[in-house]
Amino acid sequence: MAQRLAVFLLVGGVAGFGAVFLELPGVVLAAVVLLVLLGTTRRREDLVRAGGYLLGAGLVGWSLVGPAVKGGGGFLYLNGWTLVTLYAAVALAGCLLLAWLALAGIRGGRAR
């Protein structure tokens, strides 16, 4: 399970990297990848893919954009502080989804 999570953290990181440097087309591409991951989810345990993806994309995007807006700079398609806040929210959503899945697995007796 940990290896699968690491792979989807990396996939999310690549999408977050692309979303930062490709700007609006990168954001659309990252959203399409997330929709594909969610569309192929059959069981609750498969949501680990979506959680890992969200966490990876949020962390990489946040770490790339955060230092750039230290001085209050803006981006072509969105205000810098708004963008940093959105990346932090994406990372937090991924963390919360993974925490919920972990607690559900522990309560269900399926922890490995």
Side-chain angles (χ1 to χ4, degrees):
M1 182 67 88
Q3 291 173 341
R4 289 179 51 207
L5 178 60
V7 167
F8 284 104
L9 281 169
L10 291 172
V11 169
V14 169
F17 186 84
V20 169
F21 288 105
L22 294 176
E23 295 180 353
L24 195 53
V27 171
V28 171
L29 181 63
V32 167
V33 171
L34 179 62
L35 290 175
V36 167
L37 286 175
L38 289 175
T40 59
T41 299
R42 303 277 185 251
R43 301 174 308 190
R44 185 173 66 191
E45 290 82 16
D46 290 340
L47 287 174
V48 169
R49 297 186 299 170
Y53 175 82
L54 288 171
L55 180 59
L59 284 178
V60 169
W62 188 23
S63 66
L64 289 173
V65 174
V69 297
K70 185 176 180 183
F75 287 80
L76 286 175
Y77 64 102
L78 204 56
N79 181 331
W81 288 108
T82 304
L83 193 60
V84 168
T85 304
L86 289 174
Y87 277 120
V90 167
L92 184 61
C95 286
L96 291 175
L97 178 60
L98 290 172
W100 175 74
L101 290 170
L103 287 175
I106 291 171
R107 286 185 185 158
R110 288 176 270 165
R112 293 177 195 201

